[in-house]
Amino acid sequence: MKVINNPNKSPLASVERDQRVSEPGFGKYYTDNMVIAQWSEVDGWQDAELKAYGPLTLDPATMVFHYGQEVFEGMKAYSQPDGGISLFRPEANAKRFAKSAARIALPEMPVDFFVKTVEELVKQEKGWVPKKIGESLYLRPFLIATEVGLGVRPSNHATYVLIATPAAAYFNAAKAVTVWISTEYVRAALGGTGEAKCGGNYAASLLAQKQAAQEGCDQVAYIDAKERKWVEEMGGMNLYFIKGSGKDATIMTPKLTGTLLPGITRDSILTLAKDLGYKTEESMISIDQWRDGVKSGEITEIFACGTAAVISAVGAAKSAQGTWQTGDGKPGVITNEIRAALLAIQHGTAPDKHGWNKRVI
Ligand code: PLP
Ligand code: COI
């Protein structure tokens, strides 16, 4: 499968584009082009087309509108010191995209084809990639069920779309976020779709997110559905807990039990923390251990991580049982160290020992 290049003939004037790229926000502006590919049960995947960004026209009976059969990815292209552009671990996103699709009976897109579409769009939109450290071109590939019909069955037609938006930090890195630990709503249960990056998981999280905002919190931390005590992840990020300080610190993250999204940032940090000389651990942490740990000082720092947010310190947690602050409530030393180390690899200012960067130009 190839990508047929049929780019926008009247892209945004470069002065205006540069203005948008200089203050990108997150998801505020979209680039001049997108990529679309079709799949059908009969013909399989068809060649993709890179074309002008614009609305999709769909029949109101298109299945995705009714049963939510949709998966997506989030990944970034970073500008490099020599003016080139690299993607960060795109094959990992491609593999997760295929796995997510399989979980909700959508077709698996071949890894090479997925990566090719992303590379082609980034090449086309090179003028849209911000240059500042911590900024990037955020790529949003998604796959929707496009059979027209109302019967509840796996769609025999699917449409892949890839869009791009210049992105600054999702959260202000200098500020720690506050999380609401939801004891009322769960994000995912064993046997469900927690491991898949499907839109339905996010729809299910929005009411808790609204509650968090009412409680003055930025994000929601979810606990497990069965025992209702084990900390899993946030609505759009994985969590890390740091025990101890200095080089004796242990960097711990909740283990992947089948209900958490296996974050690519999470996975990268497990390797990076070891490179920086820290011990790492994938285990379980209960809300009581979180509360007692920050109170006793055993837990010194907490952070959330994901593609959009990179790394954000968690300054305080609030739940029906009260509020607990982490350390002095500000981003900690190790959190900042890991964040800087990760960004340095992504932006090509530190050696890429693990071959994570894929050069596009
Ligand atoms: N958990 C959830 C629910 C997410 O939506 C995301 C974001 O993609 C993550 C974790 C972090 O994953 P990644 O680091 O691959 O972006
Ligand atoms: C990402 O980090 O890419 C995400 O998908 C999180 C959120 C924006 C949904």
Side-chain angles (χ1 to χ4, degrees):
M1 270 89 58
K2 56 184 186 297
V3 180
I4 298 162
N5 223 355
N6 185 16
N8 193 337
K9 290 188 182 63
S10 40
L12 200 66
S14 57
V15 194
E16 239 175 288
R17 182 196 64 206
D18 292 349
Q19 171 60 32
R20 292 182 183 190
V21 173
S22 71
E23 277 180 46
F26 188 89
K28 202 157 80 172
Y29 305 116
Y30 295 88
T31 65
D32 298 302
N33 295 279
M34 61 183 183
V35 177
I36 296 213
Q38 307 290 346
W39 171 91
S40 75
E41 208 166 59
V42 177
D43 300 319
W45 285 99
Q46 303 300 301
D47 286 342
E49 186 185 8
L50 186 155
K51 60 180 202 177
Y53 184 95
L56 305 174
T57 304
L58 294 170
D59 189 291
T62 301
M63 282 184 168
V64 65
F65 296 138
H66 305 277
Y67 311 120
Q69 213 187 344
E70 186 260 6
V71 294
F72 68 98
E73 266 305 323
M75 54 204 291
K76 283 176 168 176
Y78 291 88
S79 77
Q80 303 296 299
D82 63 359
I85 300 169
S86 286
L87 286 162
F88 186 70
R89 304 188 66 183
E91 285 88 2
N93 292 95
K95 286 182 192 148
R96 190 172 64 188
F97 194 58
K99 229 178 137 199
S100 298
R103 174 61 185 84
I104 64 162
L106 277 171
E108 293 178 44
M109 190 168 182
V111 167
D112 291 351
F113 187 35
F114 174 98
V115 174
K116 179 96 185 133
T117 63
V118 178
E119 285 179 329
E120 291 304 314
L121 189 64
V122 171
K123 272 186 212 160
Q124 178 68 37
E125 309 292 41
K126 56 180 187 289
W128 283 93
V129 184
K131 295 202 167 48
K132 285 181 225 150
I133 296 286
E135 298 190 355
S136 57
L137 185 68
Y138 183 83
L139 285 313
R140 171 54 62 89
F142 61 100
L143 182 63
I144 55 177
T146 41
E147 181 184 342
V148 174
L150 294 185
V152 182
R153 60 178 180 271
S155 179
N156 63 19
H157 196 283
T159 303
Y160 166 81
V161 189
L162 168 66
I163 56 174
T165 175
Y170 198 73
F171 297 113
N172 176 357
K175 195 184 146 273
V177 298
T178 307
V179 303
W180 170 249
I181 301 177
S182 181
T183 44
E184 191 176 352
Y185 302 111
V186 293
R187 179 188 166 274
L190 213 56
T193 57
E195 259 185 343
K197 204 161 164 60
C198 58
N201 289 343
Y202 299 80
S205 76
L206 296 175
L207 189 56
Q209 176 64 34
K210 199 166 155 185
Q211 205 174 46
Q214 280 158 0
E215 296 288 342
C217 297
D218 304 294
Q219 283 284 309
V220 183
Y222 290 95
I223 53 176
D224 78 290
K226 195 168 165 211
E227 293 183 69
R228 304 296 278 263
K229 68 179 207 184
W230 302 107
V231 178
E232 298 207 316
E233 63 174 321
M234 314 254 269
M237 281 169 277
N238 292 110
L239 278 164
Y240 266 92
F241 296 81
I242 303 179
K243 293 186 236 164
S245 54
K247 289 293 166 189
D248 286 332
T250 298
I251 318 285
M252 176 268 172
T253 188
K255 72 173 179 196
L256 302 175
T257 54
T259 52
L260 285 74
L261 189 84
I264 294 158
T265 319
R266 174 192 179 279
D267 182 71
S268 308
I269 291 169
L270 278 173
T271 302
L272 196 55
K274 280 190 209 104
D275 290 350
L276 294 171
Y278 298 110
K279 291 185 278 297
T280 59
E281 189 184 306
E282 290 176 89
S283 56
M284 311 270 273
I285 178 168
S286 67
I287 30 176
D288 290 347
Q289 286 169 327
W290 180 339
R291 183 195 55 225
D292 296 347
V294 291
K295 281 196 174 157
S296 71
E298 193 204 347
I299 296 172
T300 48
E301 300 180 32
I302 303 174
F303 66 81
C305 65
T307 297
V310 190
I311 289 179
S312 294
V314 174
K318 192 174 175 188
S319 78
Q321 283 95 47
T323 301
W324 329 304
Q325 184 171 291
T326 321
D328 62 2
K330 299 204 180 71
V333 181
I334 299 176
T335 300
N336 286 339
E337 181 191 10
I338 294 176
R339 184 171 194 282
L342 181 60
L343 281 171
I345 296 173
Q346 291 169 329
H347 280 285
T349 58
D352 176 23
K353 283 202 298 195
H354 306 285
W356 286 337
N357 289 337
K358 187 166 175 104
R359 196 67 189 226
V360 177
I361 0 182

